[in-house]
Amino acid sequence: MPGTISPASSVSRHTPQPGRSIFPQAPTYTLDTFSSRDFIVKDFVEALSDSAIPPNRRSGPSNQAAFDPKPLIRSFEHALNRMSELSGELETRENELSGAVRRAEAQHISNVQTLGKKLDQTIDSFNRLDSSLSGDNHDEGGNAVVKIGERLEELDRQRTRAQDTKFLIQCWVEVSERGELFLLEDIRRQGGGDSKVRCANIARQLTKISQRLDPDSWSHMNGNVKITNGGKGTNSPDGDNRKRNHNTRELIEKFLETLEKDLLKSFDEFYRRENFEGMRECAKVLYDFNGGASVIGSFVNQHQFFIDRSQLITEDVVGDTETWERLADPDSEPPGVESSLQSLIDDVKIVVQEESIIIKRAFPYCEQVMGRFLQRIFQQSIQQRLETVLEKANTISSLAFLRSLQAARSCISTLIDDLKAHGLTAHPEPISSQITVILDQQFDDLFVPYSFGSLYIEREKRSLEELYSSLLFKFTIFHSRKRKIPTTFMKSLARSGGEILAATRDAYVERLDSSDLTPAQKAMLLRLAGLKESENAKAQTEIDVSDDDGVLDTANAKRMLKWLAEAVGRGLELSGGNETAKEIHVLLNLLLTSMAEIYIETAIDAANENAVSQEYSKNEPDFSYLSNLRSAFTIMHLMITCIRTMLVPLASSNISIRREIEKITTLTMNRMEEKVNSIIQRTVDVALAWVAKLLATQKKNDFRPRDDGPGGGGAWQEMLQTPTCLSVFTFLMRLHSLVLTAFAPSANLTSFLTEVALGVRTALLEHFKKFQVNAAGGLMITKDITKYIELLRGWDLEPSFEPSFEVLTEIGNMFVIGPDALRERLREKGAALGGLWEKGDMRPYVLRRDDAGSVGIQSVLSAL
């Protein structure tokens, strides 16, 4: 209320006395109250309300007096007044801070301007100085400064040279007059790389001075004086004037030896303590001293790796027997590199990578040291162990040697690649070109002795020849025993094949009897040949062979091609690809000789001889020789596929050799195909000849049965076919079964069966012209022809043979139908079969009817 002092304001101005005021005291506020993070307006208003109500009125009976707003009004008035005061204080403080900020900004701007001016002045000063030094704007001051600097450097060099010359003269006077080198000894004892380098340089210069000023010390040989270049020795008149009491050469060389020994000793001590800085310092001095040859030799020769491995490298190769047997077995997968060689290569990889770190830290010329270290490892450790392993493998078999050589090359090649990938002294950067050249050269040097010229391919060829000869030994024995003196033209043509067969057999036997063959090699060859140890001493005629040994075996051919593929892959890896085309040509000739001539053609020639023998046989032909043809076809296909997919592409780098390979392959295949065609043609001829022989057994009355004949009047009606038909049917069925085993379903099978069917058809057409036929015999002919057609329809024939079935059917019908039906049928079928059948061709069959003389038949014949 106006004019009344509010209780809140009085409380804010005066400190209340406890217990004296009857009104509740309002809380006091500061700026911190409202700037706190915990300040909430709702809580603030509730606190004001609670402070305005006296405690004795906050709770009581329900009939208490009505609500009195005055305390609340006073409290809120007091709070508003206080907040107004705080707002004024806050505004005053804000004004003060704003003024301070404006003053600070003005001061900052002033400072920046001042510093900018100073920076510009500094830049101008620098530009003027730079211009003066570089001689711009025709200012010669810069050039003068440069010239002065160069002159000072030249003077310093001259001064240093003069001091070195003075010291060199003092050392020479000392060694030549007093026989001492105390000055150099003092420098040497000072330690430090620079001092020792200086000692080495001065000693070398003293050596040159001694050669010119004291030639007598260089002329002494075995205690005698040698006059050189017309000079005077110590025995000359003027010799006493130049004679010296001390041998300068000997003194200087002793000093150099001492210096070198000290440096090497220090280097070794640093190496044992792993003090790489000290090692680097000594190595640097020795490099300036003698090119580093002594320290490199000492580091490499005394390396612990060579000491630990010296006995292991030269010890005999043992290994388990099973591993060596697998290595010599051509049908087993190679077991890999020999265990001791593998262990050595693994150790080399670890040692080289570890030592590359030491060499890099210990030698300023690390690549030179690493090169010597690698050369020593490859030329001594790896090469010696490799030779030992290969010598052991060579005692097992030629194949074991080749497989060991391939495995070793592959393993060492992997080692080279791993070292290149590591980087060695350049790690983690790529390896340097110098180390790369050294690694490649060492790798090549390891295997050049085994692949030089034609050495490798001759060894590979000899190994395959041994394997092929062993595998085909019983085959060659079997066929060589069956060979007879040529009595026919075709046998004469096969004579060259027999000579190759005999030469191969004799070479194999001679190889078995050779003293160069180790027991392990002989056992392996005998096992491949299917012989026992006890059979080795038998003569060739005593070796037991069976008919199965003379049959072609696809499994053996696959083994031969597998061995060849392994040899080709090994050749690509070991020969390096330089002579690949020539090597492929050698291997192809071996394959064609062993598989084509000795194996396939021998079997084909044997089958051909059997086919020829059947031409004059009085018994039923034996076509069992056809069973070898299917294997021959399969092996020929495998061989030509191998040549075209593997050998020919590898020889493409040399056009002339590739053409030669294709030429001899084509000639060989053509020769074998001609022989196979000859067998097939002979088989067809023999089969048709036997069919003709069987048809000749047909009785004249088979087609003129009589009702009053033996066995009763209707006995012929119960016969399904004549005996001749059944015998021909049985023979052709047996031939068909054999042909199916000899030929896979193919065009060759269809052509063969079609040719036989055509021959049989021709024989039957001629056969039925020979017999007189009555009405009952006509029924027998139709039964026989039906049986023949049933047989031929079961064959896989060409579609062009289909009309032949109708021709045969019509032949049977001609003997059973009446004259009118015959006339009508000839008119219809003559047009339908005009391509295979002419009207004139029907006449002979109609004439063989018993009723050919009747009026009806004569009218038909007149129409024909």
Side-chain angles (χ1 to χ4, degrees):
M1 295 177 63
T4 305
I5 301 175
S6 110
S9 61
S10 63
V11 171
S12 63
R13 291 190 182 96
H14 304 286
T15 304
Q17 299 296 328
R20 296 291 300 272
S21 176
I22 61 175
F23 300 103
Q25 185 177 3
T28 58
Y29 311 108
T30 62
L31 292 175
D32 295 335
T33 302
F34 298 98
S35 62
S36 174
R37 292 179 178 271
D38 299 330
F39 176 75
I40 301 174
V41 176
K42 181 180 178 182
D43 295 343
F44 176 70
V45 173
E46 288 179 354
L48 286 178
S49 301
D50 292 341
S51 64
I53 301 174
N56 58 352
R57 298 184 62 183
R58 293 179 184 175
S59 63
S62 59
N63 58 357
Q64 213 170 13
F67 174 70
D68 184 10
K70 292 181 179 180
L72 294 173
I73 294 172
R74 294 189 190 97
S75 295
F76 284 116
E77 286 180 348
H78 172 74
L80 289 172
N81 292 335
R82 180 57 183 163
M83 292 174 68
S84 298
E85 294 175 359
L86 292 176
S87 178
E89 293 178 3
L90 182 61
E91 183 178 358
T92 302
R93 185 177 300 177
E94 182 180 359
N95 292 335
E96 292 176 354
L97 292 175
S98 298
V101 169
R102 287 193 296 272
R103 289 191 298 274
E105 289 178 349
Q107 183 64 35
H108 174 70
I109 292 172
S110 176
N111 292 339
V112 169
Q113 292 176 350
T114 303
L115 293 175
K117 292 178 181 180
K118 291 182 178 179
L119 179 60
D120 292 339
Q121 292 174 0
T122 303
I123 292 174
D124 293 339
S125 300
F126 176 78
N127 290 335
R128 288 194 298 271
L129 178 61
D130 183 63
S131 299
S132 63
L133 292 176
S134 60
D136 293 342
N137 298 326
H138 305 287
D139 185 7
E140 298 296 333
N143 293 332
V145 171
V146 172
K147 291 180 180 180
I148 291 173
E150 293 176 351
R151 181 60 179 166
L152 289 175
E153 291 177 358
E154 179 65 24
L155 291 175
D156 182 66
R157 286 194 295 269
Q158 292 179 359
R159 173 178 174 276
T160 302
R161 191 180 301 113
Q163 291 178 346
D164 292 342
T165 303
K166 176 183 177 183
F167 184 76
L168 181 62
I169 294 173
Q170 291 175 347
C171 291
W172 171 249
V173 171
E174 184 180 37
V175 71
S176 61
E177 294 184 357
R178 297 196 296 272
E180 299 172 349
L181 283 171
F182 290 147
L183 294 177
L184 284 181
E185 290 287 349
D186 293 340
I187 297 176
R188 183 177 65 85
R189 294 192 185 98
Q190 290 177 2
D194 295 338
S195 300
K196 293 179 180 180
V197 170
R198 187 183 178 195
C199 281
N201 291 333
I202 293 174
R204 285 197 298 270
Q205 293 175 355
L206 288 176
T207 301
K208 295 179 181 179
I209 295 174
S210 174
Q211 290 176 348
R212 297 186 62 182
L213 300 183
D214 188 15
D216 292 344
S217 62
W218 293 85
S219 301
H220 285 290
M221 298 181 64
N222 298 327
N224 298 322
V225 178
K226 180 181 178 181
I227 307 299
T228 60
N229 297 329
K232 299 178 180 180
T234 54
N235 296 329
S236 64
D238 297 334
D240 293 336
N241 296 330
R242 297 190 299 124
K243 184 177 180 180
R244 303 182 185 278
N245 296 326
H246 307 286
N247 190 324
T248 57
R249 173 189 176 184
E250 183 179 351
L251 292 173
I252 296 172
E253 288 180 349
K254 286 183 178 179
F255 177 79
L256 289 173
E257 292 176 1
T258 303
L259 179 61
E260 184 177 7
K261 290 180 181 178
D262 289 347
L263 290 172
L264 291 175
K265 182 178 180 181
S266 300
F267 180 87
D268 186 60
E269 292 176 353
F270 289 141
Y271 180 62
R272 298 180 185 279
R273 296 198 300 265
E274 297 185 358
N275 185 348
F276 299 110
E277 293 298 328
M279 294 172 63
R280 190 177 186 87
E281 187 176 350
C282 292
K284 181 179 179 181
V285 174
L286 288 169
Y287 184 80
D288 293 333
F289 185 77
N290 58 3
S294 58
V295 68
I296 295 175
S298 175
F299 175 79
V300 173
N301 296 333
Q302 298 180 11
H303 198 279
Q304 193 64 32
F305 174 80
F306 303 107
I307 298 175
D308 297 339
R309 281 281 179 176
S310 59
Q311 294 181 351
L312 298 177
I313 291 172
T314 56
E315 68 180 4
D316 294 336
V317 179
V318 181
D320 58 304
T321 306
E322 181 182 357
T323 300
W324 289 112
E325 290 179 353
R326 287 176 55 200
L327 197 62
D329 186 0
D331 296 319
S332 299
E333 289 297 325
V337 70
E338 196 269 335
S339 57
S340 63
L341 181 59
Q342 179 68 62
S343 175
L344 173 63
I345 292 174
D346 293 340
D347 291 347
V348 166
K349 177 181 176 181
I350 296 173
V351 169
V352 171
Q353 291 180 355
E354 291 178 349
E355 287 301 316
S356 64
I357 301 174
I358 297 176
I359 292 173
K360 183 178 181 180
R361 297 178 62 183
F363 292 92
Y365 39 97
C366 55
E367 290 189 358
Q368 183 178 349
V369 180
M370 178 55 68
R372 285 283 300 277
F373 187 64
L374 291 172
Q375 289 174 354
R376 175 69 182 276
I377 285 180
F378 278 90
Q379 294 176 5
Q380 177 175 323
S381 302
I382 296 180
Q383 183 174 355
Q384 290 182 5
R385 193 58 187 173
L386 176 63
E387 292 175 352
T388 305
V389 171
L390 293 180
E391 288 176 0
K392 171 65 176 179
N394 196 35
T395 61
I396 303 300
S397 71
S398 299
L399 179 62
F401 176 88
L402 293 170
R403 283 181 166 182
S404 298
L405 183 64
Q406 180 188 14
R409 183 184 177 90
S410 177
C411 186
I412 297 174
S413 177
T414 303
L415 170 65
I416 297 293
D417 294 339
D418 291 342
L419 295 180
K420 290 180 180 179
H422 181 269
L424 299 182
T425 55
H427 181 77
E429 299 297 326
I431 193 169
S432 65
S433 58
Q434 180 179 350
I435 300 299
T436 301
V437 171
I438 292 175
L439 287 173
D440 293 339
Q441 184 63 43
Q442 294 304 313
F443 180 73
D444 293 339
D445 292 345
L446 281 177
F447 297 97
V448 163
Y450 309 105
S451 59
F452 179 75
S454 60
L455 183 63
Y456 163 74
I457 193 61
E458 290 298 329
R459 187 186 291 270
E460 192 74 69
K461 178 183 176 183
R462 185 168 63 252
S463 173
L464 284 175
E465 285 178 343
E466 291 177 354
L467 296 177
Y468 288 169
S469 300
S470 299
L471 186 63
L472 304 180
F473 180 65
K474 283 192 173 182
F475 179 85
T476 56
I477 290 293
F478 176 86
H479 285 282
S480 63
R481 291 178 183 176
K482 291 187 63 176
R483 292 276 182 178
K484 298 179 180 179
I485 299 175
T487 57
T488 65
F489 175 71
M490 290 304 300
K491 290 184 177 181
S492 299
L493 293 179
R495 185 172 185 176
S496 60
E499 293 174 354
I500 295 176
L501 198 69
T504 304
R505 182 196 64 231
D506 295 341
Y508 178 74
V509 173
E510 183 180 353
R511 177 64 175 163
L512 286 179
D513 296 336
S514 174
S515 59
D516 298 336
L517 209 62
T518 63
Q521 289 177 290
K522 183 178 294 185
M524 187 272 297
L525 294 178
L526 290 174
R527 182 178 60 80
L528 282 179
L531 302 177
K532 299 179 181 179
E533 292 286 347
S534 58
E535 293 180 302
N536 183 34
K538 293 183 178 181
Q540 299 177 36
T541 56
E542 298 177 0
I543 297 177
D544 296 331
V545 293
S546 62
D547 291 341
D548 293 337
D549 294 325
V551 177
L552 292 177
D553 189 355
T554 306
N556 285 342
K558 290 181 178 180
R559 292 171 72 186
M560 295 171 72
L561 293 177
K562 178 184 176 183
W563 300 342
L564 177 71
E566 180 183 342
V568 170
R570 188 163 48 239
L572 291 176
E573 184 175 349
L574 294 178
S575 65
N578 297 328
E579 302 292 336
T580 300
K582 295 181 180 179
E583 294 175 356
I584 292 298
H585 188 262
V586 172
L587 295 178
L588 175 70
N589 289 331
L590 176 61
L591 177 67
L592 294 180
T593 301
S594 300
M595 180 174 286
E597 297 182 14
I598 297 178
Y599 199 42
I600 302 176
E601 291 193 42
T602 298
I604 293 176
D605 291 340
N608 197 12
E609 291 177 0
N610 289 333
V612 171
S613 65
Q614 299 304 315
E615 291 180 346
Y616 308 100
S617 175
K618 296 181 180 181
N619 300 320
E620 180 178 338
D622 181 12
F623 297 114
S624 59
Y625 60 85
L626 291 177
S627 60
N628 253 347
L629 289 185
R630 185 161 189 170
S631 298
F633 293 150
T634 303
I635 295 173
M636 288 167 63
H637 176 70
L638 291 174
M639 184 182 71
I640 193 63
T641 302
C642 174
I643 293 173
R644 290 175 178 172
T645 59
M646 181 176 67
L647 300 183
V648 173
L650 291 175
S652 58
S653 59
N654 192 316
I655 301 299
S656 60
I657 293 180
R658 175 170 180 167
R659 291 175 179 172
E660 180 66 20
I661 288 176
E662 293 175 345
K663 178 181 177 181
I664 60 177
T665 302
T666 303
L667 292 175
T668 302
M669 293 301 296
N670 291 340
R671 186 175 64 250
M672 291 190 293
E673 290 174 357
E674 289 175 0
K675 291 183 178 181
V676 170
N677 291 336
S678 175
I679 295 174
I680 294 175
Q681 189 59 51
R682 289 182 183 280
T683 303
V684 172
D685 295 341
V686 170
L688 296 179
W690 188 253
V691 169
K693 189 174 183 179
L694 292 177
L695 291 175
T697 63
Q698 189 88 53
K699 296 179 180 180
K700 293 183 179 181
N701 294 328
D702 284 347
F703 302 124
R704 296 184 69 188
R706 299 172 57 186
D707 293 339
D708 57 350
W716 61 271
Q717 295 179 355
E718 298 177 1
M719 296 177 59
L720 297 178
Q721 290 85 25
T722 61
T724 300
C725 176
L726 290 176
S727 62
V728 172
F729 179 85
T730 304
F731 169 72
L732 291 178
M733 281 293 294
R734 187 159 47 249
L735 173 64
H736 181 252
S737 300
L738 288 172
V739 170
L740 289 180
T741 61
F743 296 90
S746 61
N748 291 332
L749 175 62
T750 303
S751 299
F752 176 81
L753 294 177
T754 301
E755 188 170 355
V756 174
L758 289 173
V760 172
R761 184 200 68 179
T762 302
L764 291 176
L765 293 177
E766 293 297 325
H767 177 67
F768 292 123
K769 293 179 183 179
K770 301 176 181 178
F771 298 93
Q772 199 73 22
V773 183
N774 59 15
L779 292 177
M780 294 303 300
I781 286 179
T782 58
K783 292 180 181 180
D784 284 358
I785 290 177
T786 302
K787 193 67 174 178
Y788 291 134
I789 292 175
E790 176 189 349
L791 169 68
L792 297 179
R793 283 192 181 277
W795 292 6
D796 183 15
L797 303 177
E798 296 177 357
S800 60
F801 189 81
E802 188 67 25
S804 298
F805 295 124
E806 296 188 29
V807 171
L808 292 174
T809 303
E810 291 305 318
I811 293 295
N813 292 334
M814 288 181 188
F815 295 104
V816 295
I817 60 178
D820 295 336
L822 179 60
R823 183 184 300 107
E824 186 65 26
R825 200 169 190 86
L826 290 176
R827 186 182 300 115
E828 294 175 359
K829 294 297 181 179
L833 302 174
L836 294 174
W837 192 264
E838 298 293 339
K839 288 185 177 182
D841 297 334
M842 305 176 186
R843 185 178 182 85
Y845 303 101
V846 177
L847 288 174
R848 305 310 296 176
R849 293 175 56 136
D850 279 351
D851 58 352
S854 64
V855 176
I857 298 299
Q858 286 297 321
S859 64
V860 173
L861 291 174
S862 63
L864 297 176

